[in-house]
Amino acid sequence: MEFTMGGRLEVRIAPADVGKRVSVRRLTEDGPGGAKFTDTVGVLTSWNDGVLSVTPKDGVSVRIEASALVAGKVVPAAPARRRGPAASFAELAPVYARAWQPVESEPLGEWRLRAAAGFTRRANSALPLGDPGLPLPEALERVRQWYAARGLPARVQAATGAGDTQERLCAGLEEHGWRREVSAQVRIAALAPIGDLPAEVGRVRLSRAVDDAWLSRYQRSTAPGPEVTAVLESGPSVWFATVPGTGGDTAPAAIGRCVVDGRWAGFMAVEVAPEHRRQGLATTVMTALARQAADEGASAAWLQVETDNDGARSLYDGMGFVTHHLYHHFRAA
């Protein structure tokens, strides 16, 4: 299907282009005030019965009547990042899965069903890293049954925004009634500049195991159970950072967690007590962990930050982190 509008704008996409990254322009209003158009860039995830679906990097699919198209073309994948290490989603996804392991896990083809008594969505969601070995409707039903047997809501974690991410799966989840609950950015950076920051790392105590003091500062462990410790201490090489409190405060002023896995160092659970914020303690914790990771041979850093956490995103911007892709948790209706 190809046609020309006004001799300039052309629709150069067709149903055969499903799965490719496209740029489309569609007519959204044509009235007395003149025509209005909207542009969308994303993966063409379906084209059925005269309606196409384009999924941008934010994971929210846009349905478009083919008759409303005035222009469309296949475009290259998003350009490589100019800062930070080169990496693919296929490399990163297993790395951040190993850094936050569930208590219970079971394969579904190339998907992984994960549970940890409800502690965090990451440890209690299906992680699709390939073909589930079943048609999508049947795979999703298996996911529902597996989590229902454990008294947990059924969730799937899926990614968008990089050259090899899962826009078609996200669109399929939406089509089957699964709804996105939360989104996060996966950010990457070179490790050495973080370790070179002029921070007072002598204030930081590093440990291989989590303790009660660390947990008292960790906001996600208001009622810690064995599954919390099991998840936190999982990973190839795990380090916990603590900046002790001042005066009679037994709770730490700041904490953090790092998992070293080959060339990658993953940063998680960096938290600062409200009364100690704006003193550079988050940077101090990350610098101390970065130096430890570099000593173990790591050269690249990654972290995950929810899209609405403006304060954390600003901090990571200053450290050189750039967004590699996004991941989303979809929950069964």
Side-chain angles (χ1 to χ4, degrees):
M1 173 182 176
E2 181 173 321
F3 56 90
T4 302
M5 296 291 292
R8 293 179 298 172
L9 299 179
E10 296 180 331
V11 175
R12 295 179 176 176
I13 58 174
D17 293 314
V18 168
K20 298 178 182 178
R21 190 166 182 261
V22 300
S23 174
V24 300
R25 173 169 291 184
R26 70 186 188 278
L27 180 68
T28 56
E29 184 178 329
D30 190 8
K36 294 184 179 180
F37 305 93
T38 298
D39 294 333
T40 303
V41 177
V43 175
L44 181 62
T45 46
S46 68
W47 190 322
N48 299 308
D49 300 324
V51 178
L52 55 152
S53 177
V54 177
T55 304
K57 65 180 180 180
D58 67 2
V60 181
S61 297
V62 179
R63 291 176 62 81
I64 302 168
E65 296 284 345
S67 59
L69 288 177
V70 296
K73 62 182 179 179
V74 174
V75 296
R81 307 300 178 189
R82 294 186 179 181
R83 295 185 295 162
S88 66
F89 168 72
E91 177 188 1
L92 272 171
V95 169
Y96 59 67
R98 288 192 294 267
W100 199 263
Q101 297 178 24
V103 174
E104 181 183 6
S105 179
E106 182 178 316
L108 176 62
E110 294 176 306
W111 290 22
R112 177 64 58 176
L113 307 179
R114 307 174 294 177
F119 172 61
T120 72
R121 293 182 180 89
R122 276 181 286 171
N124 293 270
S125 56
L127 182 65
L129 295 178
D131 188 346
L134 297 168
L136 184 59
E138 295 178 30
L140 294 179
E141 182 56 32
R142 288 280 297 276
V143 172
R144 289 176 186 267
Q145 293 172 0
W146 195 84
Y147 284 99
R150 289 153 181 79
L152 297 170
R155 293 188 177 97
V156 173
Q157 178 181 315
T160 59
D164 54 348
T165 42
Q166 300 162 316
E167 282 80 359
R168 293 183 72 176
L169 174 59
C170 290
L173 289 165
E174 290 180 347
E175 290 172 5
H176 287 88
W178 292 58
R179 293 293 174 258
R180 187 175 59 158
E181 285 187 321
V182 66
S183 297
Q185 298 172 344
V186 177
R187 291 188 163 204
I188 61 174
L191 184 65
I194 303 170
D196 289 341
L197 292 171
E200 297 180 46
V201 296
R203 302 178 61 184
V204 182
R205 184 177 72 244
L206 297 181
S207 172
R208 283 294 200 178
V210 67
D211 57 23
D212 290 341
W214 194 98
L215 287 170
S216 71
R217 177 57 59 206
Y218 183 49
Q219 64 177 346
R220 293 183 182 270
S221 61
T222 54
E227 68 280 349
V228 175
T229 300
V231 172
L232 289 171
E233 292 185 348
S234 67
S237 178
V238 185
W239 289 96
F240 297 92
T242 301
V243 177
T246 57
D249 189 1
T250 58
I255 60 170
R257 176 179 182 263
C258 180
V259 178
V260 185
D261 186 351
R263 74 179 181 121
W264 290 101
F267 295 86
M268 289 142 276
V270 177
E271 298 185 14
V272 179
E275 64 272 20
H276 292 288
R277 289 174 184 165
R278 301 189 182 279
Q279 299 175 23
L281 290 185
T283 299
T284 298
V285 164
M286 292 186 65
T287 299
L289 290 169
R291 293 180 185 181
Q292 178 61 47
D295 287 345
E296 296 185 23
S299 60
W302 67 269
L303 53 79
Q304 299 166 332
V305 57
E306 292 187 4
T307 53
D308 60 357
N309 191 341
D310 294 337
R313 290 192 294 110
S314 178
L315 170 68
Y316 302 142
D317 285 346
M319 290 183 165
F321 282 91
V322 295
T323 300
H324 182 274
H325 65 273
L326 288 83
Y327 76 77
H328 320 275
H329 281 112
F330 290 84
R331 179 170 175 167

